[in-house]
Amino acid sequence: MAAMEQNEVILSEGNGLQSTKLLTDKINAVCYIETVLKDPISRKERLKRGTGFLSKLNMPSERGCVEIYGVFTNNHVLGSINEAEKAHATFGYEGSEEGQQVKLKPEKMFRTNKELDYTFVGVDKTDIDGLNLTIQPILMEPEPELKKGENVMIIQHPKGRSKHFSQEKILNVEKPFVFYKADTETGSSGSPVLASEGLALIAVHHKGCGELSYNKGTLSSEILMHLQEGTYTKISDSFSDSQDKEIFEVGPSPKKIKIDQEDYSNHEQPSEEVLANLSQEIVSFWKPLGRKLKIPNAKLEEIQGDNIQYPGIKEKAFQMLLAWIDQGKTATFAHLSVALQSLGKNRLADKYCGSS
């Protein structure tokens, strides 16, 4: 019997239909970055350019968390406060539109790392609000689980031209980087790399290798780890799944990641008081931690979506940990330590689980 045709059919296994507003928001947040440097010897001016995107961070301070707006790009685009002070970000540079400039404000915040090749420079939110554009920041959050073969999208300003995008498949994920086939050119450095499905930020575009046919970006989770804890996953510039990994810490000597549960002898369950304290420190990655703790995805989505029973991110993080405790005997300090370390949270594992 012949199959019956219908007018419309959903074929995608995932979210095949997506909001155009979500895409527009991501596009509007991307900016062209330009700074002019003077050579100290020749005294000639040299143009440096790249791509960036508006974001915001919640940073701890004496008065609690402070919300800071800024632009992410690459360290090799803006590698110093001096370069950032002379830089502008141009939003809305698309097609025939020349866009609107915003002055970067490193005095508000300036963080950078050469190996991860990222820079975050503060901006004045009133300058953003004053633009004749509606711009929503692209949040720097831990990336969703990535798989080879999934598509990514890169919104960029190649060679300083107006905004373009490319799409192609993920080749490999090897922390702190993700490798992909999506095209970029000079000037694309610092572009946001988005998951094609859901358009979540997964990385900041870093560089590529024509000989080996890949481009690569620094994973969002690695940038967050460095911003929050001063650590990131150290890895040699290779393309091998078997590459040894370690945590690089600013200051002390590197520490190896321990992920073998047999290394830990504490098989007691954490108390609710311990979980309540821990929940305050996992707000930026509570769902990835929940997945590592084997919480069913349906339960995580239930907690995330219920803003009446579970208001606020800290409460959602706490409820996730309580759901984990409900699993019974497997919910131990040892299990928690393994999960935290697998996300690169060695300091939290040491603090709450006593691992070393």
Side-chain angles (χ1 to χ4, degrees), residues 19 43 70 81 91 103 107 114 121 143 151 154 184 213 282 308 313 348-349:
S19 166
R43 310 303 295 171
I81 291 177
F91 292 91
K103 187 83 172 64
E107 65 272 18
K114 190 171 184 179
V121 189
E143 68 279 352
N151 278 348
I154 305 177
T184 60
S213 299
I282 62 170
I308 297 176
I313 301 298
L348 287 180

Side-chain angles (χ1 to χ4, degrees), residues 225 257-258 278 281-282 285 289 292-293 321 333-353 355:
M225 192 195 309
I257 298 177
K258 297 181 180 180
L278 175 60
E281 302 195 53
I282 62 170
F285 61 96
L289 179 60
K292 294 291 184 182
L293 293 172
L321 292 172
F333 279 108
H335 186 199
L336 179 60
S337 183
V338 170
L340 286 168
Q341 293 203 49
S342 70
L343 292 172
K345 307 299 180 182
N346 283 30
R347 291 183 181 179
L348 287 180
D350 289 345
K351 180 177 179 179
Y352 288 95
C353 308
S355 59

Side-chain angles (χ1 to χ4, degrees), residues 216-317:
K216 72 177 182 180
T218 305
L219 291 166
S220 303
S221 57
E222 296 290 330
I223 293 173
L224 266 178
M225 192 195 309
H226 184 261
L227 282 166
Q228 295 171 352
E229 302 178 26
T231 68
Y232 59 91
T233 305
K234 179 76 172 179
I235 187 170
S236 66
D237 194 8
S238 73
F239 200 48
S240 165
D241 280 328
S242 62
Q243 179 67 40
D244 291 334
K245 301 175 179 65
E246 60 185 11
I247 288 292
F248 179 82
E249 302 214 2
V250 178
S253 58
K255 295 169 66 178
K256 291 286 183 71
I257 298 177
K258 297 181 180 180
I259 58 174
D260 184 355
Q261 187 163 331
E262 295 304 315
D263 289 343
Y264 307 109
S265 58
N266 193 345
H267 295 283
E268 297 177 358
Q269 282 198 340
S271 66
E272 285 196 14
E273 181 181 359
V274 169
L275 297 182
N277 291 333
L278 175 60
S279 67
Q280 309 295 306
E281 302 195 53
I282 62 170
V283 291
S284 65
F285 61 96
W286 70 271
K287 285 183 71 177
L289 179 60
R291 295 187 186 100
K292 294 291 184 182
L293 293 172
K294 309 299 183 186
I295 306 295
N297 197 57
K299 182 63 177 178
L300 294 175
E301 295 303 322
E302 175 192 329
I303 294 172
Q304 183 176 32
D306 192 339
N307 294 316
I308 297 176
Q309 191 173 356
Y310 312 132
I313 301 298
K314 292 179 182 178
E315 180 61 26
K316 294 180 191 296

Side-chain angles (χ1 to χ4, degrees), residues 12-56:
S12 171
E13 293 181 1
N15 185 10
L17 297 174
Q18 302 182 70
S19 166
T20 56
K21 182 183 183 304
L22 180 61
L23 178 58
T24 300
D25 286 344
K26 304 298 183 185
I27 292 171
N28 287 348
V30 176
C31 57
Y32 168 66
I33 293 178
E34 184 176 283
T35 188
V36 177
L37 303 178
K38 184 173 287 187
D39 188 285
I41 299 175
S42 68
R43 310 303 295 171
K44 291 183 178 179
E45 290 188 337
R46 179 169 64 91
L47 178 69
K48 283 185 75 176
R49 62 190 181 190
T51 303
F53 58 94
L54 181 70
S55 189
K56 68 177 179 179

Side-chain angles (χ1 to χ4, degrees), residues 82-94:
N82 180 53
E83 291 180 355
E85 285 175 338
K86 300 174 182 177
H88 289 85
T90 303
F91 292 91
Y93 175 27
E94 300 178 51

Side-chain angles (χ1 to χ4, degrees), residues 66-79:
V66 176
E67 194 173 70
I68 300 176
Y69 280 74
V71 168
F72 275 103
T73 187
N74 284 153
N75 169 273
H76 73 260
V77 175
L78 297 176

